[in-house]
């Protein structure tokens, strides 16, 4: 079985401050991890993924994520948040022997000016 | 990234009628497409997995006779909500993947369809 947990329903930060969105996962075998962002009434946009290699993954719009195998985490980070980063963020995992994505519940990020 | 186009973006229909939603991969061939349903401020619920040229695989609890899925070509999958009722009102999202056997290929999503049944 595979699952993802996003422990925070909401994250609020001031513009210019660092942003972190937490994600932990549970899979058998090697995880394939993804972050997506969703704006209101829109589909999901791909931000970044971890497959193998460097634990720090850089993605779109200045986002990065750190894969931590011992803590089974894949937290999304941005050093300096923008108001336009306000959206719903989803972490997703795919178990190595399955191709269906399992999504976390989502975290709503609000960046205030 | 690859582009997935979903149409229509929104639709209002009368109870008892059927609605078809299209999902197209514009710049790649999608061997696998996925259909999701999303309730307000909730995560995506996978409804079914559609492989080109074969029958869709439905998730437990999803009525296959109500949500008809067709994946007749490598660039088009359709979801038809038959005999729609107000409880079918939701946001439906499709995603497409180029290689069904590639664990590391990210899925690309359509922009979603807001269905309202009145």
């Amino acid at each position: 079985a595979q699952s993802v947990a996003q422990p925070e329903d909401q994250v609020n930060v001031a513009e210019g401050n660092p942003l972190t969105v937490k994600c932990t996962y549970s899979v058998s075998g090697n995880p394939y991890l993804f972050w997506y962002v969703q704006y209101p009434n829109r589909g999901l946009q791909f931000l970044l993924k971890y497959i193998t290699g460097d634990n720090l993954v850089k993605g779109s719009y200045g986002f990065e994520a750190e894969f931590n195998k011992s803590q089974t985490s894949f937290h999304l980070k941005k050093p300096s948040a923008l108001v336009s980063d306000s959206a719903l963020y989803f972490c997703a995992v795919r178990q190595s022997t399955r191709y269906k994505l399992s999504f976390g519940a989502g975290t709503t990020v609000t960046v205030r000016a | 990234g690859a582009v997935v186009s979903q149409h229509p973006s929104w639709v209002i229909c009368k109870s008892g009628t059927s609605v078809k939603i299209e999902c197209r991969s514009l710049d790649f061939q999608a061997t696998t497409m996925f259909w999701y349903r999303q309730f307000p401020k909730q995560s995506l619920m996978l409804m079914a997995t559609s492989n080109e040229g074969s029958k869709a695989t439905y998730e437990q609890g999803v009525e296959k006779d109500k949500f008809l899925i067709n994946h007749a070509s490598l660039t088009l999958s359709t979801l038809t909500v038959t005999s729609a009722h107000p409880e079918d009102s939701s946001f439906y999202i499709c995603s497409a993947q180029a290689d069904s056997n590639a664990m590391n290929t990210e899925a690309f999503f359509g922009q979603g369809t807001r269905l309202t049944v009145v």
Side-chain angles (χ1 to χ4, degrees):
Chain A
Q2 57 185 37
S3 65
V4 174
Q6 291 180 244
E8 300 160 316
D9 291 336
Q10 285 205 325
V11 170
N12 299 309
V13 298
E15 188 172 36
N17 282 2
L19 169 64
T20 299
V21 186
K22 295 180 181 177
C23 170
T24 58
Y25 66 89
S26 174
V27 295
S28 302
N30 296 322
Y32 297 83
L33 295 156
F34 305 82
W35 274 102
Y36 289 86
V37 60
Q38 184 182 31
Y39 295 96
N41 293 309
R42 306 290 292 176
L44 275 63
Q45 293 179 30
F46 169 74
L47 283 178
L48 50 79
K49 66 180 177 182
Y50 171 81
I51 304 302
T52 187
D54 218 352
N55 288 344
L56 185 63
V57 178
K58 293 190 182 296
S60 306
Y61 313 118
F63 283 95
E64 58 188 30
E66 186 165 10
F67 171 65
N68 188 315
K69 188 172 183 178
S70 63
Q71 296 184 4
T72 61
S73 68
F74 189 55
H75 301 331
L76 180 70
K77 300 179 181 182
K78 185 168 183 179
S80 180
L82 301 172
V83 172
S84 57
D85 293 328
S86 299
L88 182 57
Y89 290 79
F90 289 103
C91 181
V93 68
R94 173 181 289 154
Q95 193 169 305
S96 58
T97 56
R98 294 172 57 110
Y99 60 85
K100 287 189 281 190
L101 280 172
S102 292
F103 286 89
T107 299
T108 299
V109 170
T110 302
V111 182
R112 60 186 185 278
Chain B
V3 178
V4 175
S5 176
Q6 190 173 336
H7 178 81
S9 298
W10 58 271
V11 58
I12 301 173
C13 71
K14 290 185 177 180
S15 188
T17 62
S18 295
V19 173
K20 181 185 283 189
I21 303 170
E22 292 187 348
C23 181
R24 293 179 185 273
S25 57
L26 298 186
D27 51 2
F28 68 101
Q29 293 187 324
T31 52
T32 306
M33 288 186 173
F34 304 88
W35 287 96
Y36 296 86
R37 183 172 179 176
Q38 185 181 29
F39 292 100
K41 297 187 178 181
Q42 293 190 24
S43 189
L44 282 71
M45 181 191 80
L46 180 65
M47 298 174 67
T49 302
S50 162
N51 290 299
E52 186 265 338
S54 62
K55 290 184 178 180
T57 302
Y58 289 81
E59 295 298 300
Q60 194 171 10
V62 177
E63 299 175 58
K64 59 181 68 176
D65 293 331
K66 180 161 188 66
F67 298 100
L68 299 179
I69 291 173
N70 184 278
H71 193 162
S73 78
L74 285 171
T75 59
L76 174 65
S77 176
T78 60
L79 167 67
T80 301
V81 183
T82 62
S83 186
H85 290 284
E87 57 266 29
D88 299 324
S89 299
S90 192
F91 194 58
Y92 293 87
I93 307 176
C94 72
S95 75
Q97 188 171 309
D99 183 347
S100 62
N101 293 317
M103 295 300 110
N104 60 356
T105 300
E106 60 268 31
F108 296 96
F109 287 79
Q111 57 267 54
T113 298
R114 172 72 59 193
L115 170 63
T116 302
V117 184
V118 298

